[in-house]
Amino acid sequence: MAAVDIDVPVETEPQICNQEDLERLAESFKEQGNAYYSKKDYSQAFNYYTKAIDACPKNASYYGNRAATLMMLCRFREALEDSQQAVRLDDCFMKGHLREGKCHLSLGNAMAANRCFQKVLELEPSNREAQQEKKNAAALLEYQRMADFGFEKRDFRKVVFCMDRALALASACHRFKILKAECLALLGRYPEAQSVASDILRMDSTNADALYVRGLCLYYEDCIDKAVQFFVQALRMAPDHEKARLACRNAKALKAKKEEGNQAFKNNNYEAAYQLYTEALAIDPNNIKTNAKLYCNRATAGAKLKKVDQAIEDCTSAIKLDDTYIKAYLRRAQCYMDTEQYEEAVRDYEKVYQTEKTSDHKQMLKKAQMELKKSKRKDYYKVLGVGKNATEDEIKKAYRKRALMHHPDRHSSATPEVQKEEEKKFKEVGEAFTVLSDPKKKVRYDNGHDLEDDGCFDGGDFDANNIFRAFFGGHSGGFTFDSSPDSGPGNFFFQFG
């Protein structure tokens, strides 16, 4: 903005002879102040109104004019003092009462503002500005009431909404700004909360409420040591600041309990770690970021204790608190893999890989996708009732047992439905043995390959009876099974032809 050339008269020391000379001089200063005010040069206007007051300190209008200037400079507390002095000098000074009310309103003192506007209306009942400002004061009181109720109910979004509306009427109210900042912090909107607190601290570095909110943001961002420093500083400025005292105590307790849990985990004392993380989670439900880490830590301890379902729940709780927490997705995905919930594991690994495209995350995703594909085929290990690390002898013993259990001749006297079901199982047992007893087929099966697509196995032309005969020595005769109710899978004998 270009500088404005102002012809300022050269001031000389006036010869003051009497009160009339002082009053004329004061009026001269006032007129110069008015000129600067009309040019919006409020700093110079302030200077000349101050000279007028110095020359004639009993004139209410001079204080009123300086109050108006201070209001334009957003120095509402000083403006309030001048307005109050103006009406003390002249209780019928309508503009003085109006300005006092506006200062109270800007500073968030709705009740005091309302009294001032009522006084204006007593002096001038048709004053529209006072009528409107009185409505604004009533609206401010209502926003305060709604905010107090919202805070009590932990509806922090409602409080932020009310404080935004209140600050539109009371722009200089630090109390409203602090309440808004505190609720923004409780909502996890830390940069916004820090910005509000920092603005206040720039104007007043000793403001205990702003120091508390600044510490609260750091505390909720898991910067506990720095947070404690701000809480201590706030308590130094205001020893009775109960919120700062409680937050400081919680911060220290949370840090200590978390570190105890971590140490117990490092010492392989997983039960103790699990319990310590549980105790830490009870300290402050509002600390979203730290609690997300605690849930994930407890899930890790829980997984070590084979509490896989609880570990999955803890990871889910961590993700609800912080949906960007990669470690929680990875831990939950591994739990899903351990419990063969492959679709869920793939979903989590996809989320991780979309966020952080590393080679490790890609490999984890591919492995989960492979396991998912494998899970949709027949599980030949389950068909035979053996583990995935079963030896060749274990596979043969399992086949012998299952093949005899489901052989059609054993169920010749059963209903057609049972015969059909047992015949299907007998065929599946033969398929499973054919694949798992052949090293090459077994490797391809374990690696997720589709054996039918590869041409290694054609289930449609498969004859389970041929496998059965080959396994039991290729006898041309059959088996006779004891069909009594107490018979087991081993009750059979060879019938030679």
Side-chain angles (χ1 to χ4, degrees), residues 249-315:
R249 185 165 63 243
N250 283 347
K252 290 178 179 179
L254 195 57
K255 181 187 177 186
K257 194 67 71 173
K258 182 183 174 185
E259 288 178 351
E260 283 185 66
N262 291 347
Q263 189 58 51
F265 188 90
K266 287 177 184 176
N267 294 338
N268 298 325
N269 191 348
Y270 304 125
E271 285 283 3
Y274 192 93
Q275 181 59 34
L276 287 163
Y277 292 139
T278 301
E279 291 172 12
L281 281 164
I283 291 173
D284 185 0
N286 292 322
N287 196 320
I288 293 170
K289 202 159 189 175
T290 301
N291 286 346
K293 292 180 181 180
L294 288 169
Y295 273 119
C296 193
N297 287 1
R298 191 171 73 173
T300 305
K304 292 286 187 181
L305 295 167
K306 308 300 181 186
K307 299 178 179 180
V308 184
D309 290 339
Q310 292 97 318
I312 290 172
E313 289 179 13
D314 277 348
C315 289

Side-chain angles (χ1 to χ4, degrees), residues 61-79:
S61 67
Y62 298 164
Y63 287 99
N65 286 7
R66 191 169 71 172
T69 304
L70 287 166
M71 290 171 69
M72 299 307 296
L73 292 168
C74 296
R75 292 160 59 178
F76 292 100
R77 293 194 184 281
E78 297 169 78

Side-chain angles (χ1 to χ4, degrees), residues 112-125:
N114 188 66
R115 287 193 294 270
C116 294
F117 299 137
Q118 184 60 42
K119 179 67 174 179
V120 173
L121 291 172
E122 289 172 8
L123 295 170
E124 189 180 308

